[in-house]
Amino acid sequence: MGTWFRADYSGILSRAPIGIYRSTLAGVIVQANQTMAEMLGYDCPDDIEGRDLRTIYAQAADRKRLVRELKNSEVFEDVEVEWLHRSGRRITVRLTGHVLRDHNGNARGFEAIAQDVTPRRRLEEQVTHLRKMEALGRVVGSVAHDFNNVLTAIIGFASMATMQRLSVEQRASYMADALAAAETGRSLTTSLLAVSRRERLQPEVRSVGAEVRTLARILRGIVGPDIRIECSLTGAEDYVSIDPGRFERALMNLASNARHAMPNGGALRFRVRRVRVLPDQCDHAGLAKPGRYIRLDVVDDGCGMDAETRSMVFEPFFTTRQGGTGLGLATLYGFIRQSGGNITVNSTPGRGAHFSIFLPVVHAPAERKPVPPRVSAAPTGSLRGVCLLAEDDDAVRPVVRAALEMEGLTVVEAKNGRDALASYRSLPDVALIVSDVAMPEMSGYEFVAAVTPGRPTIPVLYISGNTAGVPEPPGAHPMHSDFLAKPFSPTELRRRVRALYSRSRRRQAAPDDSSGVSGGPPPKRRVDVVRGLPPA
């Protein structure tokens, strides 16, 4: 009976719907079932027995990781890897296995089961794509609705300003209303770029603890007297690279949400600490690589969120508040991800919300020698020289030209980088370049990179609404360069041009102070290993 049972059991294994194999310690397949052979595109187990497993793995690092895991724990469970089918295509396989030992306890090989989950992964990708398209439809609809409102206001007020028999005061009032509506549109585009992580950030090395300490006083005015703010800033001496303006708005958004979640008062807690994220914790924390991070926890005593709300809280235009835009947390998420970190949320109904922000630690800013006092910008209309303007948009170019001419500059226009480069080579002396970034034929970056070898100190002001995907060749950012995001006002453009001029003159007149004493790496301090990460 026992012998018959074992023989029958062997038959079940050979016809099992999942792949089963054994290999030597060196990785040579010594035994496999029919499903394993078919999974790899072969007719029978004899075709794969004797083959080296290393030739089957699409990524050699995957097998090395499994062998290392087996040496440490002798088992691995539900590990997904990519194998190479006989046809050359990749298949996704889920593996579970253990070490095989002889009667003396010596390791002789490995035994594993393999399940082809490629169809399931493809189905999941299709579902994810459908969800993305559904979300995109919501975004497009919401953006179209909001922009139609903005354009209606601009067109309406501008049209009324052109009516006859209006007083100067009435005309000015209508134009002011049109400008206010345009500012609303600018805020909307800025939020959308932040959501898509295509907004151009202006990062600085800052201490998260110091930023939170400073903002706490401002946040008290946002949350009101019924909500107390508590701060624990043990990581205040550590630094991250962030856009301070975006970071301030991020915390203000979290504070505003907390206030609405606590109509009867409560506590809003900020905790800053340094943590070390280990390799096996990266996926759980949603981080690209292990290392040292500043973790900022923002916790409130509010009404909390259910699982469905929590899963959609970072989606654009999703809101649970009457009159909310649904861009606040989506913008926050985009800013944190663009800064190299991640944000997670943990919340249950009636138990508040717990947001955790992770930002990679950087070295402290270098100590610099004192700089000369700031020279005030040149008064309006006092600039002289030729300004080369490269802008492909026919509606934007006249506005920029008029603003530059009001500063006293002689403006030469070009519709793309190639024309701008030709104009530059034909002009005797260009004092300033104002250039869009994304342009046909040659980008602004490429144009400036072609100019800087001969003029490394020429002042350059980039103007653009979106620089994502535009290559930045060496020389694209000379010593005196700045960036102004569209949309902008003529007043703002003129102010930035004067500041750029002033800065370039000051740098040329001042002695070289580039040899400031470096702060060097910070001293080693005790760090915490991440524990209790809230689910992403």
Side-chain angles (χ1 to χ4, degrees), residues 215-224 229 251-252 255 268 270:
L215 288 172
R217 294 189 291 270
I218 302 174
L219 297 179
R220 287 189 174 91
I222 294 177
V223 300
I229 292 181
L251 293 192
M252 292 177 74
L268 178 60
F270 294 90

Side-chain angles (χ1 to χ4, degrees), residues 349-361:
R351 304 195 65 171
H354 182 161
F355 290 89
S356 296
I357 297 173
F358 294 84
L359 292 166
V361 171

Side-chain angles (χ1 to χ4, degrees), residues 135-268:
L136 180 61
R138 290 199 305 269
V139 170
V140 171
S142 298
V143 171
H145 175 269
D146 290 346
F147 264 111
N148 280 335
N149 288 338
V150 170
L151 292 174
T152 300
I154 294 174
I155 293 170
F157 286 125
S159 299
M160 288 188 288
T162 62
M163 291 179 179
Q164 301 297 323
R165 297 185 300 277
L166 286 179
S167 66
V168 174
E169 291 78 12
Q170 287 176 317
R171 208 179 301 277
S173 176
Y174 286 142
M175 291 307 298
D177 290 335
L179 287 173
E183 286 295 326
T184 302
R186 174 161 71 168
S187 298
L188 181 59
T189 58
T190 299
S191 297
L192 289 173
L193 286 172
V195 168
S196 64
R197 284 174 261 167
R198 293 187 174 185
E199 179 190 26
R200 188 182 182 95
L201 300 179
Q202 297 181 3
E204 299 178 11
V205 177
R206 295 290 186 96
S207 162
V208 172
E211 294 294 305
V212 171
R213 186 185 296 112
T214 301
L215 288 172
R217 294 189 291 270
I218 302 174
L219 297 179
R220 287 189 174 91
I222 294 177
V223 300
D226 295 334
I227 298 176
R228 68 182 185 277
I229 292 181
E230 302 173 0
C231 296
S232 174
L233 310 177
T234 57
E237 70 278 16
D238 292 303
Y239 293 89
V240 298
S241 179
I242 53 171
D243 184 319
R246 293 294 172 209
F247 185 72
E248 176 180 337
R249 270 170 273 181
L251 293 192
M252 292 177 74
N253 182 269
L254 289 175
S256 176
N257 287 346
R259 176 172 60 85
H260 285 87
M262 296 184 287
N264 299 320
L268 178 60

Side-chain angles (χ1 to χ4, degrees), residues 205 239 363-371 513-521 523:
V205 177
Y239 293 89
H363 290 329
E367 299 176 7
R368 296 189 178 275
K369 296 178 180 179
V371 298
D513 64 349
S514 61
S515 58
V517 178
S518 170

